[in-house]
Amino acid sequence: KRSLLSALNSMGEVHRGMGDAAAAKPLYEEALALAREQGNVRSIAVICDNLARALIPLGEMSKARDLAREVLVTSNEARSRWIGLCAFDITTALAVIEADWPFAARMRGAAEARVKSMRHSRDRADAAFLAQWTTRIRESLSELEYQEAFAAGYALPDDAAGAEALAWLDANRDHSAPEA
C-alpha cells in the first residue's frame, strides 16, 4: 500500500504539473485515503497540500481551506516545521482569492522564511502554483506595502505564523468563493 500511495501521489503530481488539476484530484484523493489508513502523518500532510493545490483551480476553496487547516493542526501536534510549511502557500493563495492582499503577502513571507531556513526547494508544479498568486499580490499592493507585509511574515516565529494562518483560515471559512 505504501508503494501504491507513492505512485498515486506521483501520478497526481504529473497531472498537476501539466496543468490538469481535474485529473490530479482523484489520484490525490485515493492517495490521501491510503495515507489516512496507514496513519502516516507526513504523507497525510504532503497529500493534503497537493490536493489543496489541485482543488483551488477547480474552485473548491472550502475543501482546500479545510486541508490547509488540517496540515497546520497536524504540524502543531507533530511539532514539525516541515509539515507546517506546506500550508503557508495554500493560505497565501486563499488570501489572494479573498483579496486580503496584506495578509497574503505576510503568509508569502512566512512561507519563504521556512523554505529558506529548511533549505527546501519547491518542485516545478509548486513553484508555478505560488508564482501566479505572488504576481497577483504584487500587482495589488505597492512595492513598499508588499515588502513590509512580506518582511513581517518572514520574521514571524514558527508558532506565531501557524497561529496566524489558522486564525485567518477559521475567520474566513464562510467567505470562500463559491464551490465549483
Side-chain angles (χ1 to χ4, degrees):
K1 287 187 178 183
R2 193 174 299 175
S3 295
L4 179 58
L5 182 155
S6 179
L8 289 165
N9 185 56
S10 295
M11 288 170 42
E13 287 289 271
V14 168
H15 285 290
R16 188 168 62 87
M18 294 186 329
D20 192 350
K25 178 184 170 186
L27 297 165
Y28 289 141
E29 289 172 334
E30 189 173 348
L32 183 56
L34 286 170
R36 290 188 195 289
E37 183 181 305
Q38 294 175 7
N40 185 326
V41 174
R42 185 177 186 281
S43 291
I44 292 169
V46 167
I47 299 166
C48 281
D49 175 63
N50 291 339
L51 178 56
R53 290 171 194 264
L55 292 173
I56 290 173
L58 298 173
E60 297 185 43
M61 305 314 160
S62 180
K63 290 178 187 175
R65 183 181 312 279
D66 290 345
L67 291 169
R69 188 179 192 296
E70 180 178 353
V71 171
L72 287 165
V73 169
T74 300
S75 73
N76 288 342
E77 291 170 356
R79 292 186 169 29
S80 171
R81 292 179 74 215
W82 187 89
I83 292 173
L85 166 67
C86 298
F88 291 111
D89 288 352
I90 304 305
T91 305
T92 297
L94 293 168
V96 168
I97 291 164
E98 295 291 330
D100 191 344
W101 308 113
F103 185 77
R106 190 173 175 87
M107 286 296 101
R108 178 70 185 83
E112 202 57 36
R114 275 116 202 105
V115 165
K116 184 176 181 182
S117 71
M118 289 186 274
R119 295 185 174 101
H120 174 73
S121 61
R122 292 178 179 91
D123 63 31
R124 192 171 357 151
D126 290 351
F129 174 87
L130 186 58
Q132 66 182 312
W133 305 111
T134 303
T135 298
R136 289 180 61 188
I137 299 166
R138 295 188 83 126
E139 290 171 351
S140 300
L141 294 174
S142 71
E143 185 61 24
L144 179 62
E145 290 170 322
Y146 176 80
Q147 291 299 331
E148 286 177 348
F150 182 95
Y154 195 94
L156 286 171
D158 292 337
D159 290 347
E164 280 192 27
L166 275 173
W168 188 90
L169 290 166
D170 287 344
N172 289 281
R173 183 166 292 218
D174 296 327
H175 302 122
S176 296
E179 298 294 309

